[in-house]
């Protein structure tokens, strides 16, 4: 596929997205809540699509396809574990986040921790943890685009240009605020789903005329569970709790306009996730049969697209870039809101809402540039890098669970669990250590959980604890 053709397809998609973003900006107000939460008035259909597009990124069509290519059916077990846990966690936590956000006018996910534990230090620590861990995760989106465009164009679009274009598009959509991100996410989610269905239909009919199931059965290695238990836990555990530890998806629980929209978001995401996961697994199996022996599993999808009709390859390429951008702009917008609300504001208590909003907007290109620079390191295997970043975010889990379900949890317990757990994960990861064969995320969660409980029992709970639970309960009554 020529570089000119790829560039033209991307340009058309960008122009359509820019038009949608412009229309969204025209309908936006000037307040902080309107900019970062679309005034808490997003409908169920758009909520489902933006949640799906934020969650399912280049990780799926590049990363999961590559992981399935390399490890077979075990990769599907990994991804279905994530999907099942996410749906269950949404049923349990989404109403609580929605109610707390409305009751106390919360903007960022980590602000909830500050309010519940009565200390801005908790939100500050959680925000810093997210800023450090989400930069690698967001950079994965740019890596996926860079690999894809470089391979399909035969080098005409180099890695740095492809990843740079994706970062620039994300910033463009992001600067108009959450309403723009949600609307463009909806377009991108639909493009992702339709393109992946078209690609699957072509691959199955063209490459497997005697039947896909027969072809897989003739390659039994793909059906062997070849993951060790430590590997499964190390990769799966962070993703299992993605829905409550990754702020870019948690923030979306504040935005539905009413409980019905929230329910439709959960139902829509569940259906989208099931279909998209099955498609990516099938494509991974397909490339493993058609093109075995690739040195870099992350290039499995680009190699497949080089073997399909040009028009179809172009549509799928744009869909993968859309998936990457939809996740990246959500991460960038959320991190920017967290920096203003949970980092800058505690450091400057007298800051006005206008000042906080100004800082949040300034952080959008800063975060995007940081993601772009990190992507240029081109670390191997996108899935592993994503899981390692999520492993650090997992250290929020004890504080999040305690916020909603344990009144005895204290600010010092939450703060110490975040700092000590994050240090354990970072230290083990940087040193490449897996004590007793277990991955850093598992050790970090164990240490973080014990620290949270022990320190909470040794310190006093916040005075406003009852206010948090009573306010949340009041919003939930009659709705859930």
């Amino acid at each position: 596929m020529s570089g000119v053709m790829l560039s033209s397809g991307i340009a058309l998609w960008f122009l359509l997205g820019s038009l949608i973003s412009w229309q969204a900006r025209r309908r936006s107000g000037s307040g902080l809540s309107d900019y970062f939460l679309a005034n808490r008035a997003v409908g169920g259909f758009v909520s489902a699509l933006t949640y799906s597009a934020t969650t399912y990124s280049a990780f799926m069509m590049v990363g999961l396809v590559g992981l399935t290519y390399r490890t077979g059916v075990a990769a599907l077990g990994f991804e279905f574990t994530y999907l099942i846990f996410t749906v269950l966690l949404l049923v349990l936590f989404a109403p609580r986040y929605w109610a707390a956000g409305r009751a106390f006018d919360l903007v960022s996910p980590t602000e909830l921790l500050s309010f519940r534990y009565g200390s801005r230090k908790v939100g500050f620590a959680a925000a810093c943890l997210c800023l450090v861990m989400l930069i690698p995760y967001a950079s994965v989106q740019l890596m996926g685009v860079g690999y894809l465009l470089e391979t399909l164009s035969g080098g005409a679009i180099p890695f740095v240009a492809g990843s740079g274009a994706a970062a620039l598009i994300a910033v463009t959509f992001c600067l108009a605020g959450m309403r723009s991100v949600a609307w463009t996410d909806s377009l991108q989610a639909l493009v992702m789903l339709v393109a992946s269905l078209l690609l699957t239909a072509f691959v199955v009919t063209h490459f497997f005329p005697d039947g896909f199931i027969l072809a897989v059965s003739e390659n039994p290695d793909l059906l062997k569970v070849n993951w060790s238990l430590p590997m499964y836990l190390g990769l799966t555990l962070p993703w299992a709790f993605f829905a409550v530890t990754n702020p870019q998806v948690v923030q979306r629980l504040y935005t539905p306009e009413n409980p019905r929209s929230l329910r439709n978001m959960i139902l829509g995401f569940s259906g989208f996730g099931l279909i998209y996961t099955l498609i990516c697994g099938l494509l991974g199996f397909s490339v493993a049969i058609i093109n075995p022996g690739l040195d870099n599993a992350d290039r499995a999808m680009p190699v497949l697209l080089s073997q399909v009709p040009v028009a179809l390859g172009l549509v799928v390429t744009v869909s993968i870039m859309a998936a990457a951008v939809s996740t990246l702009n959500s991460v960038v917008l959320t991190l920017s809101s967290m920096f203003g609300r949970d980092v800058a504001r505690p450091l400057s208590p007298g800051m006005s809402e206008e000042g906080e909003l100004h800082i949040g907007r300034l952080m959008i290109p800063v975060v995007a540039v940081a993601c772009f620079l990190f992507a240029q390191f081109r670390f191997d295997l996108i899935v592993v890098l994503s899981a390692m970043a999520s492993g650090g975010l997992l250290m929020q889990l004890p504080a999040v669970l305690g916020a909603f379900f344990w009144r005895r949890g204290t600010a010092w317990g939450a703060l110490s669990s975040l700092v000590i757990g994050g240090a354990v994960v970072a230290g083990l990861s940087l040193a490449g250590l897996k004590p007793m064969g277990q991955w850093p995320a598992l050790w970090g969660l164990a240490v973080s959980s014990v620290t949270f409980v022990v320190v909470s029992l040794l310190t006093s709970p916040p005075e406003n604890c009852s206010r948090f639970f009573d306010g949340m309960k009041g919003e939930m009554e009659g709705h859930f």
Side-chain angles (χ1 to χ4, degrees), residues 286-297:
S286 299
V287 189
I289 297 170
I290 301 167
N291 298 289
L294 295 178
D295 293 332
N296 187 343

Side-chain angles (χ1 to χ4, degrees), residues 33-367:
S33 179
D34 196 280
Y35 187 80
F36 287 117
L37 300 177
N39 206 30
R40 305 181 198 271
V42 181
F45 181 70
V46 173
S47 292
L49 291 176
T50 186
Y51 193 96
S52 299
T54 298
T55 301
Y56 292 121
S57 57
F59 161 78
M60 294 294 286
M61 286 289 275
V62 178
L64 183 60
V65 169
L67 190 63
T68 307
Y69 176 93
R70 178 177 290 183
T71 64
V73 71
L76 276 180
F78 156 73
E79 187 60 29
F80 274 119
T81 300
Y82 157 75
L83 178 60
I84 292 169
F85 266 77
T86 297
V87 174
L88 293 175
L89 289 171
L90 285 175
V91 171
L92 181 63
F93 282 92
R96 290 171 167 81
Y97 270 109
W98 182 87
R102 298 224 162 208
F104 307 113
D105 196 28
L106 305 177
V107 173
S108 76
T110 44
E111 184 186 8
L112 182 143
L113 297 179
S114 291
F115 187 87
R116 159 62 179 85
Y117 291 110
S119 172
R120 287 187 172 181
K121 294 178 182 177
V122 179
F124 181 90
C128 290
L129 178 69
C130 292
L131 282 163
V132 171
M133 295 298 174
L134 274 176
I135 296 298
Y137 174 74
S139 72
V140 164
Q141 317 312 318
L142 302 180
M143 290 169 61
V145 172
Y147 281 134
L148 185 69
L149 297 183
E150 186 176 54
T151 300
L152 290 180
S153 68
I157 302 177
F159 181 92
V160 64
S163 56
L168 182 61
I169 293 171
V171 169
T172 302
F173 293 168
C174 203
L175 283 172
M178 175 61 84
R179 186 172 284 103
S180 165
V181 170
W183 287 12
T184 54
D185 276 358
S186 299
L187 166 68
Q188 290 163 173
L190 293 172
V191 170
M192 289 159 57
L193 191 59
V194 171
S196 61
L197 286 170
L198 291 173
L199 178 61
T200 301
F202 176 82
V203 168
V204 171
T205 56
H206 181 76
F207 291 105
F208 306 105
D210 297 326
F212 175 76
I213 294 177
L214 176 62
V216 173
S217 66
E218 293 173 348
N219 292 268
D221 287 346
L222 293 175
L223 301 177
K224 292 180 180 178
V225 178
N226 50 19
W227 288 24
S228 64
L229 181 59
M231 179 179 177
Y232 176 79
L233 290 175
L235 285 177
T236 304
L237 190 62
W239 287 101
F241 294 98
F242 183 97
V244 293
T245 59
N246 278 247
Q248 72 274 16
V249 292
V250 173
Q251 193 169 48
R252 270 151 179 71
L253 304 182
Y254 292 154
T255 62
E257 61 181 342
N258 53 46
R260 181 178 179 181
S261 296
L262 187 66
R263 294 188 191 97
N264 288 338
M265 182 198 81
I266 298 172
L267 289 172
F269 165 76
S270 301
F272 188 102
L274 177 62
I275 295 170
Y276 206 53
T277 299
L278 288 172
I279 286 173
C280 291
L282 185 149
L283 293 173
F285 282 131
S286 299
V287 189
I289 297 170
I290 301 167
N291 298 289
L294 295 178
D295 293 332
N296 187 343
D298 289 333
R299 295 191 181 273
M301 176 55 70
V303 169
L304 176 63
L305 292 182
S306 67
Q307 298 174 283
V308 305
V310 173
L312 177 59
L314 180 60
V315 170
V316 176
T317 300
V318 170
S319 79
I320 295 174
M321 192 164 183
V325 167
S326 65
T327 295
L328 179 62
N329 61 17
S330 297
V331 170
V332 169
L333 187 66
T334 296
L335 289 181
S336 298
S337 72
M338 291 167 65
F339 186 87
R341 176 55 56 106
D342 302 301
V343 177
R345 197 159 195 169
L347 295 175
S348 180
M351 182 181 295
S352 65
E353 181 175 302
E354 291 76 13
E356 181 185 338
L357 180 58
H358 180 65
I359 288 177
R361 283 174 168 160
L362 287 177
M363 283 300 297
I364 288 174
V366 172
V367 174

